[in-house]
Amino acid sequence: MSDYPEKPNTRWPESAPIPEASNGASPHLSDELLAAWTANELAGDEYNAVQRHLESCAQCRRATADVQHIQALVMEANYMQPAAPSSLVDSVLAQLPDRSLVEAPLSDYPRYEERQNWELVSRNQRRDIWRRLGALAAALLLIASSALLFTRFSPRFQPGKAAATATSVSLANLPGVWKSVIPAGATIWDVAVVNPADIWVAGSVASAGEVKTVLAHFDGQRWHLSPDVFTNAGLCSISMVSATEGWASGNSDDGGPLMLHFTDGHWRDATASIDTGALRDRKIILTQVRMATATSGWALGQGDQAPQHSTQVLQYIKVGSTYRWEPTESFEGTTLNALSVVSDHEAWMVGQNGLKIIIVRVTITHLNNDPNSSVTNWDSHSWEDLGSGNLTSVSMRSSTDGWAGGSVGEGALFHWDGVQWTQVGFPSIAEQPVSVQGIVATGENAAWVYGELIGSQASYLYSVAKPHWYAYPLRANEDVVSGVAITPSLLLATTRQVTPAGYEMAPALFDIKNGAIIPDS
Amino acid sequence: MGMSNIATADELSQIRRAATGDHVAFALLVRRYEARIVIYLRQTVGDADLASDLAQETFLAAYQALPRWQPPPPDPAGRTTDLLSPWLYRIATNHAISALRRQMMSARRTPVSATLASSSLEDAVIGRELLRAALATLDEDDAACLVLHYVAGERYGEIAARLGISSEAVRKRVGRALSSLRRAYAALETEGDL
């Protein structure tokens, strides 16, 4: 609003008299002065000059009365102030033309490159996972803290299978009957979906000074608490191969790993299937387990010998005549926070190497198609030029489509298109920096993203279908702990609500089109 | 860096993102400004539905024009003005004046009925008529000052901050707005008995 020419000085000189007619100007008050006078915007000498003029000029007194009358009429024009307007955001967004997101390409992902130097050690690196999971003895403390486990899930959604069971599914019951089944105060860290009528959750609960595992199953109609409870132990992760087989991982009270195996309708302690003799560090927490098939899977084990942190990668593999959890690579000074399995010959892991983000891809090739002779390639890449950062989540749909997220200064998202990782522009919320804590890839270039607004108690849930973003309402003091896609358009999230007594966890369903479609129970 | 500077930097980054097609960044800008723009447009056109339509037009036009938007120079007085505020008011005023002119072209003028039951309602109709006539003759900057001062009742200093101009400029413009209102009032007076 600066293009209108302004006179250099519109104020009268100090002590100036009202202009007389001698210079050709009106001897009466200008509209500017009348307006300023009636608006009580005059001061000092100017005010006094106008007042003196009005005392002696009947025409200008009439003019001020006219101005006040006009002002009253115009004010009256707005006598009906309607209620506060409703938001235009949705209708405006619906009309926006598309413009593709501007993306900053990263350097090409180096496929099959030489293994990098894993021994890069930083003593200052962030320790999210183990600080939060810690030894199980700290589980009670966790409940009071703002602990978050960064996880991602492999729903292995099969549309045909889901359709077959859809008639017996009442997802409305999913949050609704939760409270009567899940013990109060339980922490649910992970969700596994076989199909919408076959969902498992895993976590832990502390009662009477004892920590024990929580496993619960949704059969399409209601939740059932598994009778298989393991005391002095907790679960961090669960992955189902089928309706009849799955794995759950965590740790036991003595600091060692815990691995449960679901077969024949029961969860059993299968920690013995871990080749503990080959573990570099026997005190590990199995923070994530992801199965590709019944005979192929991966798990991440976090060591906790401060200040030297390490991640031990375990592979479910045939050793001799039996399948075992075999320690493969041990990453010193590196945290691998999250794992995503594409197939029985491809898995991705993300985390922090030193202070840099790191992405690792594991590919398995069989020599001469002999399943017993395989070569495992570990490809990794850090982006030095991105500065310090940490990746907390990865979700791969295929070898050519996947997402990773975390922070590089602020919340950051990366998309893999089969050739390279590209940083994706990330919307801010309420002018606050955000962190990315979880990603659930749901379709070609589509994902759910959740995390928190840094520096506040607030969290967010987005879905992105490039280039569009959609935000979903979360309640105050609520955050998403884990999420899994039940169908390509439906996210089952476990949410945590901070209450005066601590917090409550509950499942919530978010529809990609409508946001929260089921009210909290 | 003070809080206001941080807020300004955040808005600037939202604007830059929105200018590249980031719809969520733009949604945040809409959310930031929509209430004041809608209320301003209601005051300008006196019709909530029309104001809502005009506000949508305003934001859509802003989205299209955003890549060409330039940040204003820092305010010498050190006031913190929301970056997009002057620009959005100008777009909104432009659309409102166009709409008012269209209304005047099509309906010409609704005669002020002597049968109106309530004198305050009658005054409201007259006041609306005055506004419409005056706004149609003003440029968008003067029109914005008219509405913000005479309808919204804002002080010159408030208007200056909102529109990113000096209080002196506001005073000039309110003066011109008053001239226009007085002419419109005189014209109505000669047509009917006010």
Side-chain angles (χ1 to χ4, degrees):
Chain A
M1 299 238 173
S2 55
D3 60 339
Y4 203 94
E6 300 297 337
K7 287 178 187 164
N9 183 1
T10 59
R11 293 180 71 92
W12 291 354
E14 286 193 12
S15 306
I18 300 297
E20 296 299 328
S22 57
N23 59 0
S26 162
H28 299 294
L29 296 177
S30 67
D31 281 336
E32 181 184 330
L33 278 175
L34 278 174
W37 170 262
T38 51
N40 200 20
E41 293 275 2
L42 291 178
D45 293 331
E46 213 171 22
Y47 176 91
N48 294 332
V50 170
Q51 190 174 40
R52 276 197 307 276
H53 177 82
L54 285 173
E55 282 165 4
S56 64
C57 179
Q59 189 180 330
C60 284
R61 284 200 298 276
R62 275 197 303 278
T64 52
D66 279 353
V67 171
Q68 282 159 352
H69 180 54
I70 289 169
Q71 193 164 1
L73 286 171
V74 170
M75 294 283 256
E76 205 63 55
N78 232 53
Y79 75 104
M80 244 182 351
Q81 276 291 354
S86 56
S87 177
L88 299 171
V89 170
D90 290 343
S91 55
V92 168
L93 283 189
Q95 298 174 67
L96 290 186
D98 280 354
R99 253 189 250 138
S100 59
L101 274 181
V102 172
E103 295 169 350
L106 299 174
S107 55
D108 281 1
Y109 186 83
R111 283 176 288 180
Y112 304 107
E113 67 165 10
E114 287 295 306
R115 239 186 79 178
Q116 297 207 331
N117 175 17
W118 301 121
E119 307 306 320
L120 274 175
V121 175
S122 166
R123 314 258 164 180
N124 300 321
Q125 70 174 309
R126 292 165 59 172
R127 311 174 47 203
D128 291 330
I129 287 294
W130 29 68
R131 188 172 56 211
R132 285 166 172 171
L133 291 177
L136 199 61
L140 284 164
L141 284 176
L142 280 178
I143 291 168
S145 76
S146 62
L148 277 180
L149 178 60
F150 307 126
T151 49
R152 112 99 194 138
F153 318 97
S154 305
R156 310 231 162 276
F157 175 67
Q158 297 169 4
K161 209 170 178 180
T165 56
T167 49
S168 64
V169 176
S170 175
L171 289 174
N173 288 343
L174 206 150
V177 295
W178 169 277
K179 274 185 185 172
S180 62
V181 175
I182 306 296
T187 308
I188 299 301
W189 289 117
D190 203 2
V191 186
V193 173
V194 180
N195 63 54
D198 192 346
I199 298 170
W200 282 92
V201 296
S204 60
V205 65
S207 66
E210 189 179 63
V211 180
K212 56 187 183 182
T213 60
V214 173
L215 285 155
H217 183 243
F218 181 73
D219 65 5
Q221 294 295 327
R222 54 185 55 84
W223 286 96
H224 306 274
L225 196 60
S226 167
D228 305 318
V229 175
F230 300 82
T231 55
N232 299 317
L235 293 171
C236 300
S237 185
I238 185 167
S239 179
M240 299 302 292
V241 173
S242 66
T244 56
E245 184 173 7
W247 294 84
S249 72
N251 68 324
S252 62
D253 228 359
D254 63 8
L258 174 74
M259 187 67 90
L260 303 181
H261 191 197
F262 181 73
T263 50
D264 306 323
H266 281 285
W267 290 93
R268 294 185 172 80
D269 189 341
T271 308
S273 64
I274 300 171
D275 182 3
T276 47
L279 278 175
R280 196 180 180 285
D281 176 1
R282 295 190 187 192
K283 303 267 184 190
I284 56 168
I285 303 168
L286 296 177
T287 54
Q288 207 164 25
V289 58
R290 291 292 177 257
M291 302 304 293
T293 67
T295 57
S296 167
W298 298 87
L300 296 178
Q302 312 293 352
D304 190 24
Q305 292 185 343
Q308 182 78 315
H309 313 297
S310 63
T311 298
Q312 183 98 58
V313 179
L314 278 66
Q315 185 180 8
Y316 193 60
I317 195 170
K318 195 173 186 182
V319 179
S321 57
T322 58
Y323 283 90
R324 293 179 65 79
W325 284 98
E326 199 63 35
T328 54
E329 292 293 325
S330 177
F331 293 77
E332 299 302 314
T334 295
T335 315
L336 294 178
N337 291 308
L339 159 69
S340 181
V341 172
V342 173
S343 67
D344 60 0
H345 57 270
E346 184 176 354
W348 294 74
M349 299 154 204
V350 301
Q352 188 181 42
N353 174 26
L355 288 171
K356 307 293 181 189
I357 61 169
I358 182 171
I359 298 181
V360 177
R361 179 164 65 176
V362 189
T363 48
I364 299 168
T365 13
H366 297 296
L367 298 174
N368 304 321
N369 289 328
D370 174 5
N372 293 318
S373 66
S374 63
V375 175
T376 305
N377 299 298
W378 294 80
D379 309 326
S380 78
H381 197 61
S382 291
W383 286 272
E384 300 293 330
D385 51 337
L386 278 180
S388 59
N390 187 22
L391 292 178
T392 52
S393 186
V394 60
S395 182
M396 305 299 297
R397 286 186 68 247
S398 70
S399 298
T400 57
D401 183 23
W403 298 76
S407 62
V408 179
E410 58 181 15
L413 269 186
F414 302 90
H415 182 252
W416 169 254
D417 61 7
V419 177
Q420 65 178 359
W421 285 96
T422 304
Q423 188 164 6
V424 177
F426 194 76
S428 69
I429 300 173
E431 300 160 22
Q432 276 182 285
V434 300
S435 69
V436 176
Q437 287 161 357
I439 300 176
V440 182
T442 51
E444 188 79 25
N445 293 323
W448 294 89
V449 182
Y450 54 86
E452 63 185 6
L453 277 58
I454 295 166
S456 78
Q457 298 299 313
S459 296
Y460 68 89
L461 173 66
Y462 281 160
S463 69
V464 53
K466 287 170 72 180
H468 298 288
W469 291 79
Y470 305 91
Y472 297 78
L474 296 175
R475 293 172 298 174
N477 298 318
E478 181 182 55
D479 62 9
V480 175
V481 175
S482 63
V484 62
I486 296 182
T487 73
S489 66
L490 204 58
L491 181 81
L492 167 60
T494 56
T495 62
R496 180 174 49 190
Q497 174 92 38
V498 179
T499 66
Y503 63 83
E504 281 176 14
M505 296 197 72
L509 283 174
F510 295 93
D511 185 273
I512 204 155
K513 293 187 293 291
N514 305 324
I517 56 166
I518 296 181
D520 44 308
S521 47
Chain B
M1 186 185 250
M3 284 305 291
S4 53
N5 289 338
I6 291 170
T8 303
D10 285 343
E11 188 188 1
L12 193 57
S13 92
Q14 281 174 10
I15 292 168
R16 297 234 157 94
R17 279 205 278 255
T20 65
D22 182 335
H23 287 189
V24 169
F26 189 68
L28 293 168
L29 291 170
V30 173
R31 197 152 280 159
R32 182 189 187 112
Y33 287 104
E34 61 179 345
R36 63 187 108 162
I37 292 295
V38 169
I39 288 168
Y40 168 73
L41 284 166
R42 283 178 178 179
Q43 290 163 340
T44 308
V45 300
D47 178 315
D49 290 339
L50 177 59
S52 178
D53 291 347
L54 289 170
Q56 288 190 49
E57 281 180 26
T58 298
F59 285 113
L60 290 170
Y63 181 80
Q64 298 278 13
L66 210 48
R68 298 186 299 280
W69 177 86
Q70 293 293 324
D75 187 299
R79 287 177 316 205
T80 51
T81 305
D82 289 317
L83 290 172
L84 282 189
S85 173
W87 192 65
L88 285 174
Y89 274 97
R90 165 172 276 193
I91 297 173
T93 309
N94 219 328
H95 282 259
I97 291 175
S98 300
L100 290 174
R101 285 186 181 139
R102 281 197 302 274
Q103 278 186 346
M104 290 180 84
M105 296 288 277
S106 59
R108 206 49 215 157
R109 177 171 299 151
T110 319
V112 178
S113 167
T115 63
L116 284 169
S118 142
S119 69
S120 98
L121 184 56
E122 187 180 349
D123 280 357
V125 174
I126 295 166
R128 181 52 58 192
E129 193 59 32
L130 277 178
L131 261 181
R132 188 187 299 190
L135 288 172
T137 66
L138 293 172
D139 73 29
E140 64 207 4
D141 303 342
D142 294 352
C145 286
L146 191 164
V147 172
L148 291 172
H149 180 64
Y150 283 108
V151 185
E154 291 195 352
R155 310 281 305 167
Y156 288 3
E158 295 173 289
I159 299 171
R162 205 176 276 278
L163 301 182
I165 57 179
S166 68
S167 290
E168 294 296 328
V170 172
R171 177 168 143 163
K172 294 292 298 176
R173 291 190 170 124
V174 171
R176 283 196 286 268
L178 178 61
S179 299
S180 179
L181 279 172
R182 291 184 74 186
R183 279 194 299 276
Y185 184 74
L188 274 185
E189 235 176 0
T190 56
E191 279 179 23
D193 54 340
L194 284 177

